[in-house]
Amino acid sequence: MRPVSIWQWSPWGLLLCLLCCSCLGAPSPSTAPEKRPGSQGLRFRLAGFPRKPFEGRVEIQRSGEWGTICDDDFTLQAAHVLCRELGFTEATGWTHSAKYGPGTGRIWLDNLSCSGTEQSVTECASRGWGNSDCTHDEDAGVICKDQRLPGFSDSNVIEVEQHLQVEEVRLRPAVGRGRRPLPVTEGLVEVKLPDGWLQVCDKGWSAHNSHVVCGMLGFPSEKRVNTAFYRKLRKRAAKASARRPKPLGRQLTKLKVKPKPRVGRGSIKRLLAQRQQHSFGLHGVACVGTEAHLSLCSLEFYRANDTTRCPGGAPAVVSCVPGPLYAASSGQKKQQQSKPQGETRVRLKGGAHPGEGRVEVLKASTWGTVCDRKWDLQAASVVCRELGFGSAREALSGARMGQGMGAIHLSEVRCSGQEPSLWKCPHKNITAEDCSHSRDAGVRCNLPYTGVETKIRLSGGRSRHEGRVEVQIGEAGSLRWGLICGDDWGTLEAMVVCRQLGLGYANHGLQETWYWDSGNTTEVVMSGVRCTGSELSLDQCAHHGAHIACKRTGTRFTAGVICSETASDLLLHSALVQETAYIEDRPLHMLYCAAEENCLARSARSAPWPYGHRRLLRFSSQIHNLGRADFRPKAGRHSWVWHECHGHYHSMDIFTHYDILTPNGTKVAEGHKASFCLEDTECQEDVSKRYECANFGEQGITVGCWDLYRHDIDCQWIDITDVRPGNYILQVVINPNFEVAESDFTNNAMKCNCKYDGHRIWVHNCHIGDAFSEEANRRFERYPGQTSNQIV
């Protein structure tokens, strides 16, 4: 087997290079690696699989011996240093628990601690060279930014594996006419090798192999293939090579097989041509079924000089079952929805795309996170398949998808990969002292290819993350690009566009884009777009259809977006609301400022000022930013409004809604909070405050900090003077009009049960809305400010 170069060198050129290096004993000065002070005598490389050229298990050569690094205390700062040693500009992530497979030899470094500014790994603190209590199951890896340092040259920095690897897998349909719907769920298995896309011999092919392939392609499970159909198809192909049958259609109708897509003459010719070209590249595949990638299975590759490939066999065929989000037809969706489903006990939060996010589990009616201790691809794959996706592409640690809040339910989860649910895996129940939210586990799952990103594009922006939105409409042969009317376009619609393009989160949804050149595209082809924010593509949102109706015409008033790789995420501390709620009868002569800012009920206008009082339900609200970007007001300080009475700036017109509802959802009292002043009241231990309102300072909430509105602040209440005694619901909604983008809007509302007897009020069962039962969730989604998906 010949070595494979990640630079796509020719095999003979690489072999010649290796032979020359071994003969000379040392590289020539022109190709010698550039070394920094402190790195003398050390060499670095990336190894393991499956991986890309800029990621892998870190291996260090010291005193002529290659070894690895233990993941204990490993951080992104250490990854930055190692990536620079490897010739890359910086690190974008790191891995633990031997994600790229266990290494061999010495474990050179343990408890490696770097600040990230060191010129060499030798400047970082550790237990000393070769002093470690780890095993190779704890080998650390890095994910570097695919950008090389200027002037850095070391041909052996990237490990050149001495065996072939399977990096990509696809299914190619063997039958069918015309354009097939995406995603493709059945077809011939093809693997990408240096010689191109090649087929796999089906000798010894098992359901375990199919399970792994389907997982890589984004499908949770596989189903049995109609082998009789493909066997008879091959027989027809063999006959077609000997003679050209005229009544081809009539012959095919006589096949006594289950109904399948109509087989055209071109399909048979293609299948026959594939056999004649000897397109087999892989055989002897033996998977256990728990692998997250085909490269982790036992594989045998055909050699270049093999003249006979797959004798008596045929290309392996796999059929996959799509998850609920990707069911190819309404029939499949209906069938899946008809299956009885229990209460969901696992979910993902904080991700920009389906199948990624922070892992949260439900225990005793409370959602909590999972500690990343021993978190690996097997456990992550169980989560992904349980939620209807494929196997895990990445097992994320260190709160890469943002920190959770509240309980941490699980730690040291050890899955074999065969479990139907994460709760079936062995795990430890832990207390808050055992782990912190800075170690929350996350996942990125394999998703089916749907091609939705080809139907939309951005134009005119300064970078690929922004621009005027253009959509493709029409049928094959008459496709054209057009613009979207900017009327009512907002953050929720922008979220869908950024997700569809794979550009992360929405930062802004723009209704005017006159400052971006539209080029040759000037026709508006879509209007009235209204999204809930959860759609996979823009064509799933409601819109006017073929009828275009714009209040403001012209290309300057067309929709645009600005996407971002990170976003904020606000969450209200619900327990504090419950603990601090009380009633106050406040004299009217103390409420002039509140009346000026419209913080009282309408009936207060006809009150006998300055005599009398208003009955107020007061409580404290503590709003945390759990996302990965600071929460900033949408408007700049030039447009903030100064309120002389209270002596502060309002940077958002409406920051929070406070409502009292009847059990059936009817509003009986309301309050609101303009952003009295967004600032970092308190932060976590390792986070510094950045925003302070004093002296017209910057407003916002830093990641890891929270803003506290105390119960004794003006307008931190609901005027319940006119509310009759009874049972009610207290509802608090943060950022209700979606003015500022967040990674997750579903956790922006809190509900409490409350009982009012005319003199006292009891507030209990306060919790974030999406922790309700499924029925209560459906009611909760209709809270005031939520955009409807129906066109009025």
Side-chain angles (χ1 to χ4, degrees):
M1 290 175 282
R2 67 192 186 201
V4 181
S5 168
I6 54 86
W7 290 295
Q8 299 299 316
W9 290 351
S10 68
W12 295 113
L14 177 60
L15 181 60
L16 180 60
C17 177
L18 294 175
L19 288 174
C20 292
C21 291
S22 62
C23 293
L24 295 175
S28 63
S30 61
T31 59
E34 176 185 282
K35 294 296 181 182
R36 304 180 189 85
S39 295
Q40 299 297 331
L42 300 181
R43 290 177 65 82
F44 301 83
R45 69 184 183 187
L46 295 174
F49 64 93
R51 64 178 180 84
K52 296 178 181 178
F54 46 85
E55 64 178 335
R57 180 179 64 248
V58 180
E59 295 190 355
I60 304 176
Q61 187 185 51
R62 186 174 187 267
S63 302
E65 183 178 357
W66 286 100
T68 62
I69 300 176
C70 180
D71 61 12
D72 289 351
D73 297 333
F74 201 90
T75 63
L76 185 63
Q77 285 69 31
H80 282 312
V81 177
L82 287 165
C83 283
R84 289 196 295 269
E85 295 273 24
L86 288 158
F88 297 96
T89 56
E90 61 180 335
T92 60
W94 64 277
T95 65
H96 59 94
S97 305
K99 173 185 174 180
Y100 301 101
T104 58
R106 300 280 293 274
I107 298 178
W108 280 121
L109 293 173
D110 190 4
N111 299 112
L112 183 65
S113 178
C114 305
S115 67
T117 60
E118 293 85 354
Q119 294 296 313
S120 169
V121 72
T122 58
E123 300 174 17
C124 300
S126 68
R127 297 182 60 169
W129 290 96
N131 185 10
S132 172
D133 58 359
C134 300
T135 66
H136 283 295
D137 288 333
E138 302 171 84
D139 282 344
V142 295
I143 304 169
C144 303
K145 185 175 182 179
D146 191 14
Q147 183 177 347
R148 304 289 291 178
L149 287 171
F152 193 101
S153 60
D154 187 350
S155 60
N156 291 323
V157 167
I158 303 297
E159 169 72 348
V160 179
E161 300 288 351
Q162 297 303 311
H163 56 269
L164 293 171
Q165 297 179 28
V166 173
E167 294 184 0
E168 296 182 53
V169 175
R170 72 181 182 188
L171 296 181
R172 191 153 65 85
V175 296
R177 287 180 176 177
R179 296 184 60 183
R180 295 179 61 89
L182 295 176
V184 176
T185 58
E186 180 173 315
L188 308 180
V189 181
E190 294 187 339
V191 295
K192 191 174 184 180
L193 297 176
D195 293 333
W197 288 97
L198 301 178
Q199 296 171 355
V200 182
C201 182
D202 68 351
K203 280 193 173 181
W205 189 265
S206 68
H208 293 316
N209 299 346
S210 298
H211 191 68
V212 174
V213 169
C214 288
M216 288 181 64
L217 296 173
F219 303 111
S221 59
E222 77 291 344
K223 64 180 179 180
R224 190 172 181 179
V225 176
N226 185 0
T227 55
F229 172 78
Y230 286 94
R231 191 180 304 114
K232 292 184 179 182
L233 179 63
R234 290 195 298 272
K235 288 181 179 178
R236 292 298 177 189
K239 291 182 179 180
S241 65
R243 58 185 177 85
R244 185 178 179 181
K246 295 181 181 179
L248 180 60
R250 292 196 298 271
Q251 289 181 5
L252 290 176
T253 57
K254 295 178 182 179
L255 295 178
K256 295 181 180 180
V257 296
K258 294 180 180 179
K260 281 285 178 178
R262 182 174 296 177
V263 182
R265 185 174 302 175
S267 299
I268 291 182
K269 288 184 177 180
R270 284 196 301 270
L271 187 63
L272 178 61
Q274 290 164 8
R275 288 189 59 86
Q276 291 176 340
Q277 292 172 2
H278 302 292
S279 57
F280 294 100
L282 183 64
H283 68 114
V285 179
C287 300
V288 178
T290 60
E291 297 87 350
H293 197 283
L294 197 64
S295 288
L296 301 175
C297 303
S298 174
L299 307 175
E300 296 181 39
F301 295 84
Y302 285 109
R303 298 176 182 270
N305 57 358
D306 288 336
T307 56
T308 303
R309 299 193 177 195
C310 198
V317 180
V318 167
S319 182
C320 303
V321 179
L325 277 178
Y326 301 95
S329 66
S330 58
Q332 285 181 323
K333 288 183 180 179
K334 195 171 185 180
Q335 182 180 4
Q336 290 182 357
Q337 291 173 357
S338 64
K339 294 180 181 178
Q341 294 181 353
E343 185 179 18
T344 302
R345 299 186 65 195
V346 179
R347 70 182 184 185
L348 300 180
K349 283 290 185 179
H353 310 286
E356 73 172 26
R358 179 178 61 252
V359 179
E360 296 188 355
V361 293
L362 183 65
K363 180 180 180 183
S365 300
T366 303
W367 287 100
T369 60
V370 178
C371 186
D372 65 6
R373 286 187 184 141
K374 298 186 179 180
W375 186 250
D376 57 16
L377 280 175
Q378 277 67 40
S381 292
V382 170
V383 170
C384 291
R385 291 185 188 272
E386 181 179 359
L387 295 174
F389 305 106
S391 53
R393 182 162 49 92
E394 287 185 80
L396 304 173
S397 59
R400 290 269 302 279
M401 285 295 172
Q403 296 188 22
M405 187 175 176
I408 301 175
H409 288 324
L410 303 179
S411 180
E412 297 189 26
V413 180
R414 303 299 287 176
C415 300
S416 67
Q418 298 176 333
E419 295 84 357
S421 171
L422 191 67
W423 284 103
K424 299 294 183 181
C425 301
H427 60 268
K428 287 187 178 181
N429 297 315
I430 64 172
T431 61
E433 291 76 21
D434 295 326
C435 196
S436 67
H437 284 295
S438 63
R439 300 194 62 177
D440 284 342
V443 298
R444 282 198 179 100
C445 306
N446 287 315
L447 305 179
Y449 176 71
T450 59
V452 293
E453 73 280 1
T454 63
K455 301 176 182 179
I456 192 170
R457 68 186 183 188
L458 302 182
S459 66
R462 297 162 297 181
S463 70
R464 70 184 189 94
H465 285 85
E466 67 178 25
R468 187 172 283 170
V469 182
E470 298 181 5
V471 293
Q472 190 179 61
I473 64 170
E475 301 296 331
S478 61
L479 295 173
R480 71 183 192 276
W481 290 94
L483 303 172
I484 300 176
C485 181
D487 294 345
D488 300 321
W489 183 267
T491 304
L492 295 180
E493 290 73 30
M495 286 176 63
V496 177
V497 170
C498 294
R499 179 183 300 119
Q500 185 174 352
L501 289 169
L503 297 178
Y505 308 91
N507 201 348
H508 294 291
L510 306 170
Q511 296 183 1
E512 293 187 30
T513 53
W514 52 268
Y515 38 81
W516 285 332
D517 181 19
S518 62
N520 297 325
T521 306
T522 58
E523 181 187 6
V524 176
V525 297
M526 186 179 291
S527 64
V529 180
R530 299 290 294 276
C531 304
T532 64
S534 61
E535 294 87 352
L536 300 181
S537 62
L538 207 59
D539 56 9
Q540 294 179 357
C541 300
H543 59 88
H544 288 157
H547 174 68
I548 307 300
C550 288
K551 299 175 184 176
R552 301 178 299 175
T553 59
T555 57
R556 65 170 296 172
F557 298 114
T558 53
V561 298
I562 300 177
C563 304
S564 174
E565 294 180 357
T566 57
S568 61
D569 185 19
L570 297 187
L571 186 68
L572 181 67
H573 186 13
S574 57
L576 185 63
V577 174
Q578 182 171 316
E579 295 166 3
T580 57
Y582 66 97
I583 287 178
E584 179 193 16
D585 290 333
R586 194 165 183 81
L588 280 172
H589 69 84
M590 301 178 66
L591 293 173
Y592 280 104
C593 281
E596 180 184 319
E597 296 191 22
N598 198 29
C599 294
L600 300 176
R602 293 179 182 178
S603 60
R605 299 173 185 174
S606 58
W609 294 80
Y611 308 104
H613 68 274
R614 304 298 295 181
R615 176 157 289 184
L616 309 174
L617 170 59
R618 310 194 72 146
F619 51 88
S620 297
S621 61
Q622 190 179 87
I623 300 170
H624 295 246
N625 183 2
L626 304 181
R628 291 186 285 157
D630 295 349
F631 184 92
R632 300 295 309 278
K634 181 178 181 180
R637 61 170 63 198
H638 65 280
S639 61
W640 296 352
V641 179
W642 171 257
H643 286 261
E644 186 67 34
C645 192
H646 282 137
H648 62 76
Y649 281 95
H650 281 183
S651 58
M652 292 178 64
D653 292 337
I654 298 295
F655 180 59
T656 314
H657 277 163
Y658 305 142
D659 299 310
I660 297 293
L661 311 173
T662 63
N664 67 3
T666 303
K667 187 190 301 184
V668 296
E670 64 182 357
H672 73 277
K673 192 71 178 177
S675 59
F676 174 80
C677 186
L678 289 177
E679 66 177 3
D680 297 328
T681 308
E682 296 291 340
C683 298
Q684 298 172 2
E685 293 182 3
D686 57 342
V687 179
S688 300
K689 297 180 181 180
R690 297 184 58 189
Y691 303 105
E692 187 176 8
C693 297
N695 301 319
F696 196 36
E698 290 290 341
Q699 292 195 30
I701 308 176
T702 304
V703 176
C705 299
W706 55 90
D707 189 10
L708 175 63
Y709 288 133
R710 287 173 50 88
H711 58 84
D712 54 358
I713 294 177
D714 243 3
C715 293
Q716 184 59 37
W717 63 55
I718 303 177
D719 185 348
I720 61 170
T721 306
D722 305 321
V723 176
R724 298 178 180 181
N727 295 318
Y728 297 98
I729 295 173
L730 167 62
Q731 178 176 271
V732 179
V733 184
I734 308 168
N735 193 17
N737 299 327
F738 314 108
E739 288 187 35
V740 179
E742 297 183 50
S743 61
D744 186 5
F745 286 112
T746 64
N747 59 7
N748 278 27
M750 180 216 69
K751 288 187 176 183
C752 306
N753 295 110
C754 59
K755 181 178 181 179
Y756 177 50
D757 66 359
H759 304 283
R760 296 165 297 177
I761 195 164
W762 291 266
V763 176
H764 59 97
N765 192 28
C766 290
H767 54 283
I768 303 302
D770 59 0
F772 273 70
S773 65
E774 186 174 348
E775 180 180 355
N777 263 336
R778 285 194 290 268
R779 291 202 307 269
F780 165 69
E781 289 172 356
R782 298 196 293 268
Y783 63 77
Q786 173 70 47
T787 300
S788 171
N789 193 35
Q790 301 297 323
I791 295 299
V792 179

